[in-house]
Amino acid sequence: MEIKERQLEIIEAAGEILTESGLAGLTIKNLAVKMGFVESALYRHFKGKEEIIVTMLQYLAADMDKRLTACVAKLDDPVEKLKAVFNNQFDYFEKHPHFLVAVFSEGLLEESKKINAAIMQIMATKRKHLLPIIKQGQHEGIIETSASAEDILHIIMGSFRLHMLQWRITAFSFDLKQKGNKLMGSILALIKV
């Protein structure tokens, strides 16, 4: 996905507003104030709030795809791949907590069909990376086959989502990676043969 530097600055500022004030606080006026722009300057880069959110979500999906592809490229063991995927996500969100609200905001789901589609793309991207790893682990006899790969995927993604939501609700107050690795260890204890 091609995104200009100014557009990235705008979507980062939009993410910060979402974190600070929620969806209701993300207005073109508030975004212009945060950026030090006049409102009309934002319209040179985006048609409106919906396009800003959709672009943010598309950017996050493309960035996640690139990061997760790279982080498992040299790994063979499916358990190590799972750990690498989640540590990559933890590292990313520790550096970019303002994007967490965009990815895990329930309020965005009701906003528009375009936003829903962009959120579904993020989920599909994560699924694209995790499902083959789980299937590989099952094929190699490392991961349980008593549950389908799809069901294990749902357990892992749901656990990750809850972990990230807890981090956000507690105002990012705990060590995301440390607690996340403990959670990942528990999940692995349940799904490993």
Side-chain angles (χ1 to χ4, degrees), residues 76-128:
D76 294 320
D77 180 77
V79 171
E80 293 307 312
K81 287 180 181 180
L82 284 174
K83 290 178 183 177
V85 164
F86 282 92
N87 279 310
N88 185 282
Q89 289 290 84
F90 296 145
D91 287 341
Y92 181 81
F93 284 115
E94 279 184 330
K95 292 175 187 159
H96 306 93
H98 51 277
F99 285 140
L100 186 64
V101 176
V103 178
F104 295 103
S105 175
E106 302 302 327
L108 285 179
L109 288 171
E110 292 87 40
E111 274 298 292
S112 78
K113 289 181 181 179
K114 287 181 182 178
I115 291 173
N116 285 351
I119 290 171
M120 293 301 290
Q121 181 58 47
I122 288 175
M123 292 169 60
T125 300
K126 190 169 276 187
R127 184 181 189 283
K128 169 188 161 185

Side-chain angles (χ1 to χ4, degrees), residues 6 34-35 38 46 55 90 98 103 111 158-159 162:
R6 180 63 76 191
K34 184 163 192 70
M35 298 287 303
V38 294
F46 295 101
T55 302
F90 296 145
H98 51 277
V103 178
E111 274 298 292
S159 298
L162 179 59

Side-chain angles (χ1 to χ4, degrees), residues 3-189:
I3 188 165
K4 297 180 176 113
E5 186 177 333
R6 180 63 76 191
Q7 288 176 312
L8 181 57
E9 290 172 10
I10 292 168
I11 64 172
E12 285 180 341
E16 290 170 11
I17 291 172
L18 281 170
T19 300
E20 296 160 5
S21 310
L23 190 58
L26 181 58
T27 64
I28 295 297
K29 180 178 182 176
N30 289 345
L31 187 54
V33 168
K34 184 163 192 70
M35 298 287 303
F37 290 172
V38 294
E39 290 179 48
S40 60
L42 289 172
Y43 288 108
R44 279 183 266 177
H45 302 283
F46 295 101
K47 293 176 188 169
K49 176 179 166 177
E50 179 185 54
E51 187 178 6
I52 291 168
I53 293 171
V54 168
T55 302
M56 178 191 307
L57 294 167
Q58 289 172 340
Y59 167 78
L60 291 170
D63 184 70
M64 181 193 310
D65 191 36
K66 188 170 36 172
R67 284 185 295 105
L68 298 185
T69 298
C71 84
V72 299
K74 295 181 181 177
L75 299 173
D76 294 320
D77 180 77
V79 171
E80 293 307 312
K81 287 180 181 180
L82 284 174
K83 290 178 183 177
V85 164
F86 282 92
N87 279 310
N88 185 282
Q89 289 290 84
F90 296 145
D91 287 341
Y92 181 81
F93 284 115
E94 279 184 330
K95 292 175 187 159
H96 306 93
H98 51 277
F99 285 140
L100 186 64
V101 176
V103 178
F104 295 103
S105 175
E106 302 302 327
L108 285 179
L109 288 171
E110 292 87 40
E111 274 298 292
S112 78
K113 289 181 181 179
K114 287 181 182 178
I115 291 173
N116 285 351
I119 290 171
M120 293 301 290
Q121 181 58 47
I122 288 175
M123 292 169 60
T125 300
K126 190 169 276 187
R127 184 181 189 283
K128 169 188 161 185
H129 289 277
L130 289 174
L131 195 58
I133 295 170
I134 295 165
K135 286 182 177 180
Q136 175 193 355
Q138 287 180 322
H139 179 74
E140 293 177 9
I142 297 168
I143 294 177
E144 274 292 334
T145 56
S146 57
S148 71
E150 282 285 341
D151 288 345
I152 292 172
L153 174 72
H154 284 278
I155 292 166
I156 291 172
M157 287 179 64
S159 298
F160 178 77
R161 182 177 178 84
L162 179 59
H163 178 63
M164 300 305 284
L165 183 61
Q166 288 173 333
W167 187 55
R168 183 182 125 211
I169 288 171
T170 61
F172 315 110
S173 66
F174 58 82
D175 185 320
L176 179 66
K177 195 169 184 178
Q178 180 185 16
K179 197 169 178 181
N181 279 314
K182 185 177 177 202
L183 173 63
M184 194 66 207
S186 296
I187 292 170
L188 290 171

